[in-house]
Structures are given as C-alpha cells and as structure tokens.
Amino acid sequence: MIVAIKILCYIIFAYGLSNMVVYSRGPFGIFEWWRGFMHNINDNLGELFTCMICFPTWLGIGISILDIFFSSFTITPFNVLLDNNAPYWLIVILDACFTSGIVWLIDVLETALQSKED
C-alpha cells in the first residue's frame, strides 16, 4: 500500500510540475520568461520547456539521480519498486520513461476531455 501511495504522489508531483513549467505563465511570468529565455539560447533547449514529453523525461532523470544519491526517502517509481537492487543507470532510464509516459498520458486525456466539453 505504501508503494502505491508513493508512486501516486510521484505521478501527481511530476504532472503538476510539468504542467506548470510547460503551460503556465507562473507567478510574475517566471515560467513564460524562462521558456522565452531558453528559446533565445537555442530552439532545441527551448523546446525542452514547451513539450509535455521532453520536460517530464528530464524531470524523471533529475529526480531519479537525486533519489539515488539521497536515498533516505525514495520516491521515484523504480527506486521504490527495485529498492536500489538494480544498476543505477537502469533505474534512471526506467524512471525517465515512466515519468514521460505517465505525464504525457494524463495530458492527452485532459486535452481529450476538454475538447469534448467544447
């Protein structure tokens, strides 16, 4: 039960943060400014912050790496499920794929539900 709660909390966190960074203007326009700043540096870098597949992938990688190094409280799905019994590089790749896939799936479902209402 605790594993399911941890994974659900991770999914909610990953979707919420990704949704804010990719779509939200943010307080004082900070997310909007950041996306524009990244586009000015490089279009590919800017795309990272405007794509609901790209940003969650890197979010999953980052959180998974932090989770491996600071393992007093594991939260990423494959750190929880595999309990650091697999090679770290495999855990990072699986967390990146999971985060990208689940965030994209929620985004697509939300978009479909909103288009039905219109």
Side-chain angles (χ1 to χ4, degrees):
M1 185 67 173
I2 297 293
V3 170
I5 291 171
K6 281 185 177 184
I7 293 173
L8 181 62
C9 287
Y10 177 80
I11 291 169
I12 292 168
F13 168 77
Y15 178 72
L17 184 59
S18 297
N19 194 35
M20 284 190 312
V21 170
V22 171
Y23 295 131
S24 174
R25 185 174 179 278
F28 306 109
I30 190 72
F31 296 130
E32 191 173 65
W33 175 85
W34 184 255
R35 288 189 298 267
F37 178 73
M38 289 295 140
H39 270 292
N40 287 337
I41 292 174
N42 184 298
D43 282 338
N44 291 330
L45 187 58
E47 187 177 337
L48 169 67
F49 295 94
T50 58
C51 171
M52 280 299 264
I53 295 174
C54 308
F55 183 77
T57 301
W58 288 100
L59 178 66
I61 290 170
I63 294 172
S64 186
I65 289 171
L66 286 174
D67 212 4
I68 288 169
F69 287 115
F70 303 105
S71 61
S72 60
F73 180 73
T74 57
I75 189 165
T76 61
F78 287 95
N79 273 314
V80 170
L81 293 174
L82 300 177
D83 199 27
N84 289 330
N85 291 326
Y88 71 90
W89 56 268
L90 179 62
I91 292 173
V92 171
I93 291 170
L94 292 173
D95 281 335
C97 293
F98 177 83
T99 306
S100 179
I102 198 72
V103 167
W104 174 80
L105 181 63
I106 294 170
D107 186 57
V108 167
L109 290 173
E110 181 184 10
T111 303
L113 289 173
Q114 284 178 349
S115 68
K116 273 190 159 186
E117 291 176 1
D118 295 337

